[in-house]
Amino acid sequence: MPEKKTRQAAARDKRQGKSSSTQAGEYVHEEIEHVRKGKHGARSPQQAIAIGLSKARRAGVKVPRKKSSTKKASSKKASSRKRASTGKSASRKRATTKRSSAKRASASSRALRREGRGAASKRALSKQGKRAASKRSSASRSAAAKKAARTKGTRGRSAAAKKAARTRKRA
């Protein structure tokens, strides 16, 4: 269950008209903190992020599913993936109402507790972020930065400029 603080932060983001990925980011951040504090571990930063996104989806944030790879699988797999993303499959409807068994839930949480804490380290997360960014085109990254500057607002831009000036002084 996500913490109250996280749910409120995500709701604030939604009110401000921020994207679903920004809203989901609150849940991912909470998950990273859980790994750092030792509530449980994770095998990789991607696993910690996936757990956070899963929490966000369960909380009602409309996070899109992972895009399918460029290499198309057999047409049967592609059609079932399409059906799953639209929510028309019977199994998917059933999955929303049926809870997983207590035995399975406790087994997965036990397995997570056995994992290490290094997945949420600054170094690991930095490496993951750089790897994710390198998969995007330069134009895409530039457009995202421009949009961020536009949607930040006057106060936000001012704060960011001050922070940048502080970090430049240190370097």
Side-chain angles (χ1 to χ4, degrees), residues 27-40:
Y27 292 92
V28 172
H29 183 257
E30 178 192 63
E31 207 51 43
I32 300 286
E33 286 303 311
H34 283 183
V35 175
R36 282 183 178 163
K37 286 177 183 168
K39 283 192 177 179
H40 59 77

Side-chain angles (χ1 to χ4, degrees), residues 65-77:
R65 296 275 164 204
K66 185 180 176 188
K67 292 189 183 100
S68 62
S69 63
T70 50
K71 232 189 277 181
K72 284 285 177 195
S74 67
S75 59
K76 189 178 179 183
K77 278 186 181 176

Side-chain angles (χ1 to χ4, degrees), residues 24-107:
E26 300 292 346
Y27 292 92
V28 172
H29 183 257
E30 178 192 63
E31 207 51 43
I32 300 286
E33 286 303 311
H34 283 183
V35 175
R36 282 183 178 163
K37 286 177 183 168
K39 283 192 177 179
H40 59 77
R43 211 162 266 200
S44 65
Q46 289 90 326
Q47 185 183 29
I49 291 165
I51 294 167
L53 288 175
S54 175
K55 273 187 176 180
R57 286 190 186 102
R58 282 200 303 263
V61 177
K62 290 181 174 70
V63 187
R65 296 275 164 204
K66 185 180 176 188
K67 292 189 183 100
S68 62
S69 63
T70 50
K71 232 189 277 181
K72 284 285 177 195
S74 67
S75 59
K76 189 178 179 183
K77 278 186 181 176
S79 65
S80 66
R81 199 182 294 118
K82 198 176 203 177
R83 196 163 56 248
S85 65
T86 54
K88 289 177 184 165
S89 81
S91 61
R92 189 174 156 127
K93 281 180 192 155
R94 195 167 47 250
T96 55
T97 55
K98 192 179 176 188
R99 284 178 64 226
S100 68
S101 68
K103 193 180 270 189
R104 178 173 285 187
S106 67

Side-chain angles (χ1 to χ4, degrees), residues 94-129:
R94 195 167 47 250
T96 55
T97 55
K98 192 179 176 188
R99 284 178 64 226
S100 68
S101 68
K103 193 180 270 189
R104 178 173 285 187
S106 67
S108 62
S109 59
R110 256 198 323 272
L112 269 178
R113 278 198 291 273
R114 283 197 301 269
E115 296 297 342
R117 311 280 176 256
S121 68
K122 286 196 174 182
R123 188 177 172 191
L125 288 169
S126 171
K127 194 175 175 185
Q128 152 62 21

Side-chain angles (χ1 to χ4, degrees), residues 156-170:
R157 263 195 302 274
S158 172
K162 285 173 185 167
K163 185 178 181 181
R166 276 199 309 273
T167 55
R168 271 197 302 272
K169 279 179 192 171
R170 270 189 235 140

